[in-house]
Amino acid sequence: MPAKTRTPRNTLSPELIVRTALDLMEGQGTDAFSLRGLAAELGVGPMALYTYFRNKDDLYDAVRDHLMGLIPPVPEGVAWPDQVRAVCRGLRALMLQHPCLAQLLAGRPLSGHETARVAEGLLGVLRSAGFDAQTAARTHTTLFTYVLGATSWEIQMAAERQDPQERRRLRATIESLSPTEFPTVVELTPELSRTTGGDEQFDYGLDLLLAGLQRGQQASG
Amino acid sequence: MPAKTRTPRNTLSPELIVRTALDLMEGQGTDAFSLRGLAAELGVGPMALYTYFRNKDDLYDAVRDHLMGLIPPVPEGVAWPDQVRAVCRGLRALMLQHPCLAQLLAGRPLSGHETARVAEGLLGVLRSAGFDAQTAARTHTTLFTYVLGATSWEIQMAAERQDPQERRRLRATIESLSPTEFPTVVELTPELSRTTGGDEQFDYGLDLLLAGLQRGQQASG
DNA sequence: ACGGTGTACTATACACCGTACGGTAGACGT
DNA sequence: ACGTCTACCGTACGGTGTATAGTACACCGT
Protein backbone atom coordinates (compact mmCIF):
# COMPACT_ATOMS: atom_id res chain seq x y z
CA MET A 1 0.00 0.00 0.00
CA PRO A 2 2.15 2.85 -1.24
CA ALA A 3 -0.83 5.19 -1.01
CA LYS A 4 0.42 8.58 0.17
CA THR A 5 3.77 8.52 -1.59
CA ARG A 6 3.67 11.53 -3.82
CA THR A 7 5.86 10.13 -6.54
CA PRO A 8 6.58 12.98 -8.92
CA ARG A 9 5.47 11.68 -12.24
CA ASN A 10 6.66 14.26 -14.62
CA THR A 11 9.02 17.19 -14.68
CA LEU A 12 8.57 18.59 -11.19
CA SER A 13 9.94 17.56 -7.82
CA PRO A 14 10.30 19.35 -4.50
CA GLU A 15 14.07 19.37 -4.86
CA LEU A 16 13.95 20.87 -8.33
CA ILE A 17 11.50 23.53 -7.22
CA VAL A 18 13.61 24.46 -4.23
CA ARG A 19 16.79 24.61 -6.24
CA THR A 20 15.21 26.73 -8.96
CA ALA A 21 13.64 29.02 -6.38
CA LEU A 22 17.01 29.50 -4.75
CA ASP A 23 18.64 30.30 -8.09
CA LEU A 24 16.00 32.90 -8.83
CA MET A 25 16.25 34.52 -5.41
CA GLU A 26 19.98 34.83 -5.74
CA GLY A 27 19.86 35.94 -9.33
CA GLN A 28 17.27 38.66 -9.16
CA GLY A 29 16.89 39.43 -5.47
CA THR A 30 14.67 37.95 -2.83
CA ASP A 31 12.10 40.71 -3.03
CA ALA A 32 11.62 40.26 -6.74
CA PHE A 33 10.97 36.55 -6.33
CA SER A 34 7.45 35.45 -7.13
CA LEU A 35 5.66 32.16 -7.50
CA ARG A 36 4.62 33.12 -11.00
CA GLY A 37 8.17 33.82 -12.00
CA LEU A 38 9.29 30.54 -10.50
CA ALA A 39 6.57 28.64 -12.32
CA ALA A 40 7.49 30.33 -15.58
CA GLU A 41 11.14 29.40 -15.07
CA LEU A 42 10.07 25.81 -14.55
CA GLY A 43 7.81 25.92 -17.59
CA VAL A 44 4.60 25.19 -15.67
CA GLY A 45 1.57 27.11 -14.54
CA PRO A 46 1.68 28.89 -11.19
CA MET A 47 -0.74 26.49 -9.58
CA ALA A 48 1.44 23.47 -10.31
CA LEU A 49 3.61 24.48 -7.36
CA TYR A 50 0.73 24.00 -4.98
CA THR A 51 0.98 20.26 -5.49
CA TYR A 52 4.27 20.33 -3.63
CA PHE A 53 3.94 23.29 -1.26
CA ARG A 54 0.97 24.53 0.66
CA ASN A 55 1.76 28.16 -0.09
CA LYS A 56 4.59 30.61 -0.60
CA ASP A 57 5.68 30.54 3.04
CA ASP A 58 5.84 26.77 2.94
CA LEU A 59 8.19 27.01 -0.02
CA TYR A 60 10.25 29.59 1.82
CA ASP A 61 10.60 27.18 4.73
CA ALA A 62 11.81 24.48 2.40
CA VAL A 63 14.40 26.75 0.82
CA ARG A 64 15.59 27.86 4.23
CA ASP A 65 15.98 24.33 5.50
CA HIS A 66 17.77 23.35 2.31
CA LEU A 67 20.26 26.16 2.87
CA MET A 68 20.74 25.30 6.53
CA GLY A 69 21.82 21.87 5.39
CA LEU A 70 24.88 23.46 3.81
CA ILE A 71 26.35 24.56 7.13
CA PRO A 72 29.37 22.39 7.90
CA PRO A 73 29.32 20.21 11.01
CA VAL A 74 30.98 21.27 14.23
CA PRO A 75 34.76 20.69 14.04
CA GLU A 76 36.14 18.12 16.46
CA GLY A 77 39.29 18.30 18.49
CA VAL A 78 39.43 22.01 19.15
CA ALA A 79 38.55 24.06 22.23
CA TRP A 80 34.90 24.92 22.65
CA PRO A 81 35.27 28.66 21.96
CA ASP A 82 36.72 27.76 18.59
CA GLN A 83 33.88 25.36 17.97
CA VAL A 84 31.42 28.13 18.71
CA ARG A 85 33.34 30.45 16.43
CA ALA A 86 33.27 27.87 13.65
CA VAL A 87 29.51 27.41 13.85
CA CYS A 88 28.83 31.13 13.95
CA ARG A 89 31.21 31.86 11.11
CA GLY A 90 29.70 29.01 9.11
CA LEU A 91 26.24 30.47 9.45
CA ARG A 92 27.49 33.94 8.57
CA ALA A 93 29.41 32.66 5.56
CA LEU A 94 26.31 30.89 4.30
CA MET A 95 24.21 34.01 4.75
CA LEU A 96 26.76 36.05 2.81
CA GLN A 97 26.87 33.47 0.06
CA HIS A 98 23.07 33.29 -0.12
CA PRO A 99 21.76 36.71 0.85
CA CYS A 100 18.18 35.50 0.72
CA LEU A 101 18.87 33.38 3.78
CA ALA A 102 18.86 36.47 5.97
CA GLN A 103 15.32 37.31 4.99
CA LEU A 104 14.24 33.71 5.17
CA LEU A 105 15.53 33.41 8.73
CA ALA A 106 14.16 36.74 9.86
CA GLY A 107 10.67 36.42 8.51
CA ARG A 108 9.67 32.91 9.49
CA PRO A 109 9.75 30.66 12.53
CA LEU A 110 12.49 28.08 12.78
CA SER A 111 11.59 24.61 11.64
CA GLY A 112 12.98 21.78 9.64
CA HIS A 113 15.39 18.96 9.97
CA GLU A 114 18.55 20.77 8.92
CA THR A 115 17.79 23.72 11.14
CA ALA A 116 17.51 21.37 14.08
CA ARG A 117 20.85 19.86 13.13
CA VAL A 118 22.59 23.21 13.40
CA ALA A 119 20.97 23.89 16.75
CA GLU A 120 21.97 20.46 17.95
CA GLY A 121 25.59 21.15 17.07
CA LEU A 122 25.82 24.44 18.88
CA LEU A 123 23.84 23.30 21.91
CA GLY A 124 25.97 20.17 22.16
CA VAL A 125 29.15 22.23 22.20
CA LEU A 126 27.83 24.45 24.95
CA ARG A 127 26.66 21.55 27.06
CA SER A 128 30.00 19.78 26.63
CA ALA A 129 31.75 22.98 27.69
CA GLY A 130 30.04 22.61 31.01
CA PHE A 131 27.22 25.13 30.80
CA ASP A 132 24.04 24.18 32.57
CA ALA A 133 20.84 23.73 30.61
CA GLN A 134 19.52 27.22 31.08
CA THR A 135 22.80 28.95 30.33
CA ALA A 136 23.31 26.81 27.27
CA ALA A 137 19.86 27.71 25.98
CA ARG A 138 20.35 31.41 26.71
CA THR A 139 23.78 31.41 25.10
CA HIS A 140 22.51 29.59 22.05
CA THR A 141 19.76 32.16 21.53
CA THR A 142 22.19 35.02 22.13
CA LEU A 143 24.72 33.73 19.65
CA PHE A 144 22.10 32.93 17.06
CA THR A 145 20.45 36.32 17.26
CA TYR A 146 23.79 38.07 17.19
CA VAL A 147 24.86 36.27 14.03
CA LEU A 148 21.47 36.89 12.48
CA GLY A 149 21.39 40.58 13.34
CA ALA A 150 24.99 41.35 12.51
CA THR A 151 25.03 39.50 9.22
CA SER A 152 21.63 40.73 8.07
CA TRP A 153 22.82 44.24 8.70
CA GLU A 154 26.02 43.59 6.84
CA ILE A 155 24.19 42.20 3.83
CA GLN A 156 21.82 45.10 3.70
CA MET A 157 24.61 47.64 3.94
CA ALA A 158 26.52 45.90 1.19
CA ALA A 159 23.44 45.86 -1.03
CA GLU A 160 22.97 49.56 -0.52
CA ARG A 161 26.51 50.46 -1.27
CA GLN A 162 26.02 48.95 -4.69
CA ASP A 163 22.92 50.98 -5.50
CA PRO A 164 24.15 54.36 -6.79
CA GLN A 165 20.90 56.06 -5.90
CA GLU A 166 21.05 54.87 -2.32
CA ARG A 167 24.68 55.91 -2.15
CA ARG A 168 23.73 59.43 -3.08
CA ARG A 169 20.88 59.44 -0.62
CA LEU A 170 23.16 58.25 2.17
CA ARG A 171 25.78 60.84 1.39
CA ALA A 172 23.16 63.57 1.34
CA THR A 173 21.81 62.43 4.70
CA ILE A 174 25.23 62.49 6.28
CA GLU A 175 26.14 65.87 4.89
CA SER A 176 22.90 67.35 6.09
CA LEU A 177 23.75 66.52 9.70
CA SER A 178 24.75 69.56 11.68
CA PRO A 179 28.24 69.07 13.16
CA THR A 180 27.20 70.98 16.26
CA GLU A 181 24.15 68.81 16.90
CA PHE A 182 25.79 65.48 16.04
CA PRO A 183 29.51 66.00 16.58
CA THR A 184 30.38 62.40 17.29
CA VAL A 185 28.43 60.97 14.38
CA VAL A 186 30.02 63.44 11.99
CA GLU A 187 33.45 62.80 13.43
CA LEU A 188 33.12 59.03 13.30
CA THR A 189 31.39 58.75 9.94
CA PRO A 190 34.53 57.51 8.20
CA GLU A 191 35.13 54.97 10.94
CA LEU A 192 31.51 53.86 10.84
CA SER A 193 31.50 53.28 7.13
CA ARG A 194 34.91 51.64 7.19
CA THR A 195 34.01 49.28 10.01
CA THR A 196 30.55 48.38 8.79
CA GLY A 197 30.63 44.78 7.73
CA GLY A 198 33.57 42.54 7.09
CA ASP A 199 35.07 39.66 8.96
CA GLU A 200 36.77 41.94 11.46
CA GLN A 201 33.58 43.63 12.54
CA PHE A 202 31.80 40.29 12.88
CA ASP A 203 34.62 38.72 14.85
CA TYR A 204 34.87 41.78 17.07
CA GLY A 205 31.33 41.30 18.33
CA LEU A 206 31.65 37.54 18.46
CA ASP A 207 34.81 37.81 20.53
CA LEU A 208 33.11 40.21 22.90
CA LEU A 209 30.42 37.60 23.51
CA LEU A 210 32.95 34.80 23.92
CA ALA A 211 35.07 36.91 26.27
CA GLY A 212 32.00 37.56 28.36
CA LEU A 213 31.17 33.87 28.33
CA GLN A 214 34.61 32.77 29.42
CA ARG A 215 34.71 35.36 32.16
CA GLY A 216 31.39 34.14 33.47
CA GLN A 217 32.54 30.55 33.27
CA GLN A 218 35.72 31.38 35.18
CA ALA A 219 33.77 33.17 37.89
CA SER A 220 31.21 30.42 38.40
CA GLY A 221 33.29 27.32 37.95
CA MET B 1 9.02 84.30 -1.79
CA PRO B 2 7.72 81.42 0.30
CA ALA B 3 7.57 79.34 -2.87
CA LYS B 4 8.42 75.78 -1.87
CA THR B 5 6.60 75.66 1.43
CA ARG B 6 4.13 72.85 1.00
CA THR B 7 1.49 74.25 3.26
CA PRO B 8 -1.07 71.50 3.72
CA ARG B 9 -4.27 73.10 2.68
CA ASN B 10 -6.86 70.65 3.68
CA THR B 11 -7.17 67.53 5.73
CA LEU B 12 -3.81 65.87 5.19
CA SER B 13 -0.38 66.48 6.65
CA PRO B 14 2.78 64.38 6.85
CA GLU B 15 2.40 64.04 10.60
CA LEU B 16 -1.19 62.86 10.34
CA ILE B 17 -0.28 60.35 7.66
CA VAL B 18 2.63 58.99 9.68
CA ARG B 19 0.58 58.71 12.82
CA THR B 20 -2.30 56.99 11.06
CA ALA B 21 0.07 54.63 9.28
CA LEU B 22 1.64 53.72 12.59
CA ASP B 23 -1.77 53.05 14.13
CA LEU B 24 -2.70 50.77 11.26
CA MET B 25 0.58 48.86 11.37
CA GLU B 26 0.19 48.23 15.05
CA GLY B 27 -3.47 47.44 14.81
CA GLN B 28 -3.50 44.95 11.97
CA GLY B 29 0.11 43.91 11.55
CA THR B 30 2.88 45.38 9.46
CA ASP B 31 2.48 42.90 6.64
CA ALA B 32 -1.18 43.69 6.20
CA PHE B 33 -0.46 47.39 5.91
CA SER B 34 -1.15 48.91 2.52
CA LEU B 35 -1.23 52.38 1.05
CA ARG B 36 -4.78 51.80 -0.08
CA GLY B 37 -5.88 50.87 3.39
CA LEU B 38 -4.12 53.90 4.81
CA ALA B 39 -5.76 56.19 2.29
CA ALA B 40 -9.15 54.68 3.05
CA GLU B 41 -8.58 55.21 6.75
CA LEU B 42 -7.76 58.85 6.05
CA GLY B 43 -10.77 59.21 3.80
CA VAL B 44 -8.81 60.08 0.68
CA GLY B 45 -7.82 58.38 -2.53
CA PRO B 46 -4.65 56.30 -2.60
CA MET B 47 -2.82 58.78 -4.79
CA ALA B 48 -3.29 61.63 -2.34
CA LEU B 49 -0.46 60.18 -0.28
CA TYR B 50 1.99 60.68 -3.10
CA THR B 51 1.81 64.41 -2.51
CA TYR B 52 3.63 63.89 0.77
CA PHE B 53 5.73 60.79 0.18
CA ARG B 54 7.55 59.67 -2.90
CA ASN B 55 6.52 56.06 -2.46
CA LYS B 56 5.80 53.41 0.13
CA ASP B 57 9.41 53.07 1.23
CA ASP B 58 9.63 56.81 1.74
CA LEU B 59 6.64 56.59 4.05
CA TYR B 60 8.25 53.68 5.88
CA ASP B 61 11.35 55.80 6.44
CA ALA B 62 9.25 58.58 7.89
CA VAL B 63 7.44 56.22 10.25
CA ARG B 64 10.74 54.72 11.34
CA ASP B 65 12.31 58.07 12.06
CA HIS B 66 9.20 59.15 13.93
CA LEU B 67 9.49 56.09 16.15
CA MET B 68 13.19 56.60 16.73
CA GLY B 69 12.34 60.01 18.10
CA LEU B 70 10.58 58.30 21.00
CA ILE B 71 13.79 56.79 22.38
CA PRO B 72 14.68 58.59 25.59
CA PRO B 73 17.98 60.49 25.76
CA VAL B 74 21.05 58.99 27.36
CA PRO B 75 20.86 59.26 31.17
CA GLU B 76 23.46 61.46 32.83
CA GLY B 77 25.43 60.83 35.98
CA VAL B 78 25.76 57.06 35.76
CA ALA B 79 28.66 54.84 34.74
CA TRP B 80 29.06 54.28 31.02
CA PRO B 81 28.03 50.61 31.03
CA ASP B 82 24.73 51.66 32.54
CA GLN B 83 24.38 54.35 29.93
CA VAL B 84 24.91 51.75 27.23
CA ARG B 85 22.39 49.49 28.91
CA ALA B 86 19.87 52.30 29.04
CA VAL B 87 20.17 53.08 25.34
CA CYS B 88 19.94 49.44 24.33
CA ARG B 89 17.01 48.77 26.60
CA GLY B 90 15.32 51.89 25.35
CA LEU B 91 15.57 50.71 21.77
CA ARG B 92 14.37 47.25 22.68
CA ALA B 93 11.44 48.62 24.68
CA LEU B 94 10.40 50.75 21.75
CA MET B 95 10.62 47.81 19.39
CA LEU B 96 8.47 45.72 21.69
CA GLN B 97 5.95 48.51 22.03
CA HIS B 98 5.85 49.02 18.26
CA PRO B 99 6.55 45.68 16.65
CA CYS B 100 6.57 47.20 13.20
CA LEU B 101 9.80 48.98 14.10
CA ALA B 102 11.72 45.73 13.82
CA GLN B 103 10.71 45.30 10.20
CA LEU B 104 11.22 48.97 9.46
CA LEU B 105 14.76 48.83 10.80
CA ALA B 106 15.64 45.57 9.12
CA GLY B 107 14.35 46.32 5.68
CA ARG B 108 15.64 49.81 4.99
CA PRO B 109 18.87 51.76 5.30
CA LEU B 110 19.31 54.04 8.26
CA SER B 111 18.49 57.66 7.68
CA GLY B 112 16.74 60.53 9.32
CA HIS B 113 17.29 63.05 12.01
CA GLU B 114 16.03 61.07 14.98
CA THR B 115 17.99 58.02 13.96
CA ALA B 116 21.14 60.12 13.93
CA ARG B 117 20.26 61.40 17.39
CA VAL B 118 20.20 57.90 18.82
CA ALA B 119 23.51 57.05 17.18
CA GLU B 120 24.99 60.27 18.52
CA GLY B 121 23.98 59.35 22.04
CA LEU B 122 25.50 55.89 21.99
CA LEU B 123 28.65 56.93 20.17
CA GLY B 124 29.15 59.83 22.56
CA VAL B 125 28.94 57.50 25.54
CA LEU B 126 31.52 55.16 24.06
CA ARG B 127 33.90 57.97 23.19
CA SER B 128 33.57 59.45 26.68
CA ALA B 129 34.30 56.02 28.11
CA GLY B 130 37.69 56.25 26.49
CA PHE B 131 37.29 54.03 23.46
CA ASP B 132 39.21 55.10 20.39
CA ALA B 133 37.34 56.00 17.23
CA GLN B 134 37.54 52.61 15.59
CA THR B 135 36.58 50.66 18.70
CA ALA B 136 33.70 53.03 19.37
CA ALA B 137 32.40 52.55 15.84
CA ARG B 138 32.78 48.78 16.01
CA THR B 139 31.12 48.61 19.40
CA HIS B 140 28.27 50.79 18.27
CA THR B 141 27.58 48.55 15.30
CA THR B 142 27.88 45.44 17.46
CA LEU B 143 25.47 46.71 20.07
CA PHE B 144 23.01 47.97 17.51
CA THR B 145 22.94 44.75 15.55
CA TYR B 146 22.65 42.71 18.72
CA VAL B 147 19.65 44.69 19.91
CA LEU B 148 18.12 44.51 16.46
CA GLY B 149 18.63 40.78 16.07
CA ALA B 150 17.67 39.76 19.56
CA THR B 151 14.57 41.89 19.73
CA SER B 152 13.38 41.08 16.23
CA TRP B 153 13.66 37.45 17.10
CA GLU B 154 11.81 37.97 20.34
CA ILE B 155 8.98 39.79 18.61
CA GLN B 156 8.65 37.11 16.00
CA MET B 157 8.59 34.33 18.54
CA ALA B 158 5.97 36.16 20.57
CA ALA B 159 3.83 36.67 17.49
CA GLU B 160 4.01 32.99 16.69
CA ARG B 161 3.13 31.86 20.13
CA GLN B 162 -0.14 33.70 19.74
CA ASP B 163 -1.07 32.04 16.48
CA PRO B 164 -2.68 28.69 17.37
CA GLN B 165 -1.88 27.21 13.99
CA GLU B 166 1.81 28.07 14.29
CA ARG B 167 1.81 26.69 17.81
CA ARG B 168 0.58 23.37 16.53
CA ARG B 169 3.08 23.40 13.72
CA LEU B 170 5.94 24.12 16.12
CA ARG B 171 4.87 21.37 18.48
CA ALA B 172 4.62 18.92 15.60
CA THR B 173 8.09 19.87 14.41
CA ILE B 174 9.60 19.35 17.82
CA GLU B 175 7.90 16.05 18.39
CA SER B 176 9.03 14.76 15.04
CA LEU B 177 12.68 15.17 16.01
CA SER B 178 14.35 11.91 16.76
CA PRO B 179 15.80 11.93 20.30
CA THR B 180 18.73 9.85 19.15
CA GLU B 181 19.62 12.21 16.32
CA PHE B 182 19.03 15.43 18.22
CA PRO B 183 19.44 14.55 21.88
CA THR B 184 20.46 17.97 23.09
CA VAL B 185 17.73 19.83 21.24
CA VAL B 186 15.10 17.47 22.59
CA GLU B 187 16.51 17.68 26.06
CA LEU B 188 16.74 21.45 26.08
CA THR B 189 13.45 22.18 24.35
CA PRO B 190 11.76 23.29 27.56
CA GLU B 191 14.71 25.50 28.41
CA LEU B 192 14.77 26.93 24.92
CA SER B 193 11.14 27.85 24.91
CA ARG B 194 11.29 29.17 28.45
CA THR B 195 14.31 31.35 27.81
CA THR B 196 13.25 32.66 24.42
CA GLY B 197 12.52 36.32 24.82
CA GLY B 198 12.02 38.32 27.94
CA ASP B 199 14.11 40.89 29.74
CA GLU B 200 16.36 38.25 31.23
CA GLN B 201 17.33 36.75 27.91
CA PHE B 202 18.01 40.19 26.46
CA ASP B 203 20.06 41.32 29.44
CA TYR B 204 21.99 38.07 29.42
CA GLY B 205 23.36 38.75 25.95
CA LEU B 206 23.82 42.45 26.61
CA ASP B 207 25.79 41.70 29.77
CA LEU B 208 27.97 39.26 27.86
CA LEU B 209 28.86 42.03 25.43
CA LEU B 210 29.48 44.53 28.21
CA ALA B 211 31.59 42.06 30.14
CA GLY B 212 33.68 41.48 27.06
CA LEU B 213 33.99 45.22 26.57
CA GLN B 214 35.13 45.91 30.11
CA ARG B 215 37.60 43.08 29.99
CA GLY B 216 39.08 44.48 26.79
CA GLN B 217 39.19 47.95 28.27
CA GLN B 218 40.98 46.69 31.37
CA ALA B 219 43.53 44.83 29.31
CA SER B 220 44.33 47.71 26.96
CA GLY B 221 44.18 50.67 29.31
C1' DA C 1 -7.47 -5.90 -21.73
C1' DC C 2 -9.99 -2.49 -19.56
C1' DG C 3 -12.70 0.66 -16.72
C1' DG C 4 -12.23 3.28 -12.26
C1' DT C 5 -9.49 6.00 -9.28
C1' DG C 6 -6.10 9.12 -7.87
C1' DT C 7 -3.06 12.75 -8.97
C1' DA C 8 0.07 15.99 -11.52
C1' DC C 9 -0.87 19.80 -13.79
C1' DT C 10 -3.81 23.54 -16.34
C1' DA C 11 -7.27 27.35 -16.92
C1' DT C 12 -9.80 30.75 -15.20
C1' DA C 13 -10.88 34.02 -11.91
C1' DC C 14 -10.76 37.02 -7.81
C1' DA C 15 -9.20 40.37 -4.72
C1' DC C 16 -5.64 43.13 -3.82
C1' DC C 17 -1.35 45.56 -4.39
C1' DG C 18 1.86 49.93 -5.72
C1' DT C 19 1.90 53.59 -8.66
C1' DA C 20 2.03 56.14 -13.47
C1' DC C 21 -0.79 59.40 -15.82
C1' DG C 22 -4.10 62.97 -16.52
C1' DG C 23 -7.60 65.86 -14.73
C1' DT C 24 -10.05 69.25 -11.62
C1' DA C 25 -11.13 72.57 -8.31
C1' DG C 26 -9.92 75.82 -5.21
C1' DA C 27 -6.35 78.88 -2.80
C1' DC C 28 -3.00 82.44 -3.74
C1' DG C 29 0.11 86.24 -5.62
C1' DT C 30 -0.30 89.69 -8.90
C1' DA D 1 -10.02 89.45 -11.91
C1' DC D 2 -6.94 86.42 -13.60
C1' DG D 3 -3.21 82.96 -14.14
C1' DT D 4 -0.66 79.71 -11.64
C1' DC D 5 0.20 76.39 -8.46
C1' DT D 6 -1.04 72.34 -5.94
C1' DA D 7 -3.76 69.19 -3.08
C1' DC D 8 -6.41 65.72 -4.21
C1' DC D 9 -9.31 62.53 -7.48
C1' DG D 10 -10.34 58.84 -11.17
C1' DT D 11 -8.79 55.64 -13.99
C1' DA D 12 -5.84 52.25 -15.50
C1' DC D 13 -1.91 48.98 -15.82
C1' DG D 14 0.83 45.28 -14.67
C1' DG D 15 1.81 42.65 -11.00
C1' DT D 16 0.87 39.49 -6.84
C1' DG D 17 -0.86 35.00 -4.14
C1' DT D 18 -4.16 31.60 -4.35
C1' DA D 19 -9.19 29.50 -4.47
C1' DT D 20 -11.78 26.64 -7.46
C1' DA D 21 -12.85 23.69 -11.16
C1' DG D 22 -11.34 20.99 -14.84
C1' DT D 23 -8.27 17.79 -17.63
C1' DA D 24 -5.29 14.09 -19.01
C1' DC D 25 -2.55 10.50 -17.86
C1' DA D 26 -0.43 6.68 -14.77
C1' DC D 27 -1.70 3.05 -12.04
C1' DC D 28 -4.50 -0.99 -10.11
C1' DG D 29 -7.98 -4.61 -9.47
C1' DT D 30 -10.53 -7.20 -12.18
Side-chain angles (χ1 to χ4, degrees), chain B residues 17-41:
Chain B
I17 294 176
V18 165
R19 239 175 327 117
T20 310
L22 185 55
D23 285 349
L24 281 181
M25 288 188 204
E26 287 184 59
Q28 62 186 43
T30 316
D31 293 335
F33 173 80
S34 72
L35 290 185
R36 298 174 110 105
L38 172 60
E41 182 75 19

Side-chain angles (χ1 to χ4, degrees), chain B residues 131-218:
Chain B
F131 293 101
D132 62 74
Q134 174 168 326
T135 309
R138 285 214 186 288
T139 307
H140 172 265
T141 301
T142 301
L143 288 168
F144 182 79
T145 54
Y146 168 71
V147 176
L148 191 63
T151 313
S152 297
W153 192 251
E154 186 174 350
I155 289 170
Q156 187 185 313
M157 291 317 234
E160 261 152 58
R161 267 198 254 265
Q162 287 181 344
D163 182 350
Q165 186 169 351
E166 288 292 345
R167 275 188 73 107
R168 248 180 292 118
R169 223 176 61 101
L170 182 63
R171 183 164 294 275
T173 303
I174 289 170
E175 281 170 5
S176 76
L177 295 178
S178 133
T180 64
E181 193 176 2
F182 306 118
T184 320
V185 169
V186 172
E187 179 201 353
L188 294 193
T189 291
E191 292 295 336
L192 281 170
S193 63
R194 194 178 322 129
T195 61
T196 292
D199 292 353
E200 284 181 33
Q201 171 64 33
F202 179 77
D203 284 340
Y204 175 78
L206 184 56
D207 285 339
L208 281 185
L209 287 170
L210 284 168
L213 267 181
Q214 286 172 280
R215 181 158 119 163
Q217 202 184 33
Q218 238 172 329

Side-chain angles (χ1 to χ4, degrees), chain A residues 24-48:
Chain A
L24 282 180
M25 288 187 205
E26 287 184 59
Q28 62 186 44
T30 317
D31 292 335
F33 174 80
S34 72
L35 289 185
R36 299 176 110 103
L38 172 60
E41 182 76 17
L42 289 164
V44 298
M47 295 311 292

Side-chain angles (χ1 to χ4, degrees), chain A residues 106 108 120 139 156 184 204, chain B residues 106 108 120 139 156 160 184 204:
Chain A
R108 298 276 308 156
E120 175 69 25
T139 307
Q156 187 186 314
T184 321
Y204 175 78
Chain B
R108 298 277 308 158
E120 175 69 26
T139 307
Q156 187 185 313
E160 261 152 58
T184 320
Y204 175 78

Side-chain angles (χ1 to χ4, degrees), chain A residues 54 58 61 64 105-114 116-121 123-124 127 131-142 144-146 148-154 156-157 160 165-166 169-170 173 177 181-188 191-192 194-197 200-202 204-215 218, chain B residues 54 58 61 64 105-114 116-121 123-124 127 131-142 144-146 148-154 156-157 160 165-166 169-170 173 177 181-188 191-192 194-197 200-202 204-215 218:
Chain A
R54 250 179 289 115
D58 197 30
D61 286 349
R64 173 165 51 72
L105 283 170
R108 298 276 308 156
L110 285 191
S111 69
H113 188 267
E114 295 301 329
R117 193 186 55 91
V118 175
E120 175 69 25
L123 281 172
R127 285 294 267 158
F131 292 101
D132 63 75
Q134 174 169 327
T135 308
R138 285 213 186 288
T139 307
H140 173 265
T141 301
T142 301
F144 182 79
T145 55
Y146 168 71
L148 192 63
T151 312
S152 297
W153 192 252
E154 187 175 348
Q156 187 186 314
M157 289 321 233
E160 260 152 58
Q165 187 169 352
E166 288 291 346
R169 224 176 59 100
L170 182 65
T173 304
L177 294 178
E181 193 176 3
F182 305 118
T184 321
V185 169
V186 171
E187 178 200 353
L188 294 192
E191 292 296 336
L192 281 171
R194 194 179 321 129
T195 60
T196 293
E200 285 182 32
Q201 170 65 32
F202 179 78
Y204 175 78
L206 183 57
D207 285 339
L208 281 186
L209 287 170
L210 284 169
L213 267 180
Q214 286 171 280
R215 180 158 118 165
Q218 240 173 326
Chain B
R54 248 179 290 115
D58 197 31
D61 286 349
R64 174 165 49 75
L105 283 171
R108 298 277 308 158
L110 284 192
S111 68
H113 189 268
E114 296 300 329
R117 192 187 56 90
V118 175
E120 175 69 26
L123 281 172
R127 284 295 265 160
F131 293 101
D132 62 74
Q134 174 168 326
T135 309
R138 285 214 186 288
T139 307
H140 172 265
T141 301
T142 301
F144 182 79
T145 54
Y146 168 71
L148 191 63
T151 313
S152 297
W153 192 251
E154 186 174 350
Q156 187 185 313
M157 291 317 234
E160 261 152 58
Q165 186 169 351
E166 288 292 345
R169 223 176 61 101
L170 182 63
T173 303
L177 295 178
E181 193 176 2
F182 306 118
T184 320
V185 169
V186 172
E187 179 201 353
L188 294 193
E191 292 295 336
L192 281 170
R194 194 178 322 129
T195 61
T196 292
E200 284 181 33
Q201 171 64 33
F202 179 77
Y204 175 78
L206 184 56
D207 285 339
L208 281 185
L209 287 170
L210 284 168
L213 267 181
Q214 286 172 280
R215 181 158 119 163
Q218 238 172 329

